C-alpha cells in the first residue's frame, strides 16, 4: 500500500509538502523524503515522536544511536511505517536538527493502492518556502504551586565567600 502524508512546518506561514511512500518503508526513508522535500541534506540529528490527536509528543524514534547501548531505544531504520501509522494512529512530530529545532507535523492523510509506473517515494505537492532560519521556540517552565514557593523562601544560605573554590573542588 501507499501512505500519503501531509508534512507541515511549525511556522506562521503555510509551508507544506505532501509525500507518498510505500507502507513497508522505514521511518528513516520518510526522514530522507521529508528532508529532501524541504531542502535539507538529511545529516543532522533528527527524531520522530508518536503523537496523539492533540499533537502531544510521545515515544521517540531516533536517527542516530548516541546511547552507546545503554538505553533501550527505537531506531528509525528499524521501524516500518506500517508499524507506527494506521487509520487510527495518523500523527507524528518530526524534529530535524536539534540545534535549530525545525519542527514538522506529519499526518497520514490517505492509504491507497500503488499506481503503475509511479516511483516511490514521491513528492506530490509543495507549498511555501522554507524560511532562512527556523521559527523561534519558546519554552516556559511551569509555575510552582504556592506551597512549593513558600518552601523555597525558607531556604537560607551561609556566607558563600567562606568557601574556597580550589579547596572544595572534588
Amino acid at each position: 500500500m501507499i501512505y500519503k502524508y501531509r508534512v507541515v512546518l511549525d511556522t506562521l506561514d503555510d509551508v507544506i509538502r505532501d509525500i507518498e511512500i510505500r507502507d513497508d518503508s522505514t521511518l528513516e526513508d520518510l526522514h530522507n523524503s521529508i528532508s529532501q522535500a524541504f531542502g535539507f541534506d538529511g545529516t543532522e540529528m533528527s527524531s520522530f515522536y508518536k503523537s496523539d490527536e492533540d499533537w502531544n509528543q510521545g515515544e521517540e524514534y531516533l536517527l542516530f544511536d548516541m546511547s552507546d547501548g545503554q538505553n533501550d531505544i527505537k531506531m528509525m531504520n528499524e521501524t516500518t511505517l506500517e508499524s507506527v501509522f494506521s487509520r487510527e494512529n495518523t500523527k507524528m512530530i518530526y524534529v530535524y536538527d536539534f540545534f535549530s529545532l525545525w519542527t514538522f507535523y506529519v499526518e497520514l492523510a490517505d492509504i491507497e493502492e500503488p499506481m503503475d509506473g509511479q516511483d516511490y517515494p514521491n513528492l506530490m505537492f509543495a507549498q511555501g518556502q522554507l524560511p532562512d532560519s527556523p521559527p523561534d521556540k519558546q519554552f516556559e517552565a511551569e509555575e510552582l504551586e504556592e506551597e512549593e514557593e513558600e518552601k523555597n523562601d525558607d531556604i537560607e544560605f551561609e556566607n558563600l565567600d567562606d568557601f574556597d573554590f580550589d579547596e572544595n573542588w572534588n
Side-chain angles (χ1 to χ4, degrees), residues 94-130:
Y94 171 67
V95 177
Y96 180 82
D97 187 351
F98 288 166
F99 292 110
S100 299
L101 293 177
W102 291 98
T103 304
F104 300 86
Y105 299 108
V106 179
E107 186 167 11
L108 177 63
D110 202 4
I111 302 172
E112 294 183 354
E113 293 287 332
M115 292 176 41
D116 290 337
Q118 178 64 53
D119 290 329
Y120 298 101
N122 178 41
L123 177 62
M124 300 170 22
F125 174 76
Q127 176 181 321
Q129 296 295 317
L130 191 71

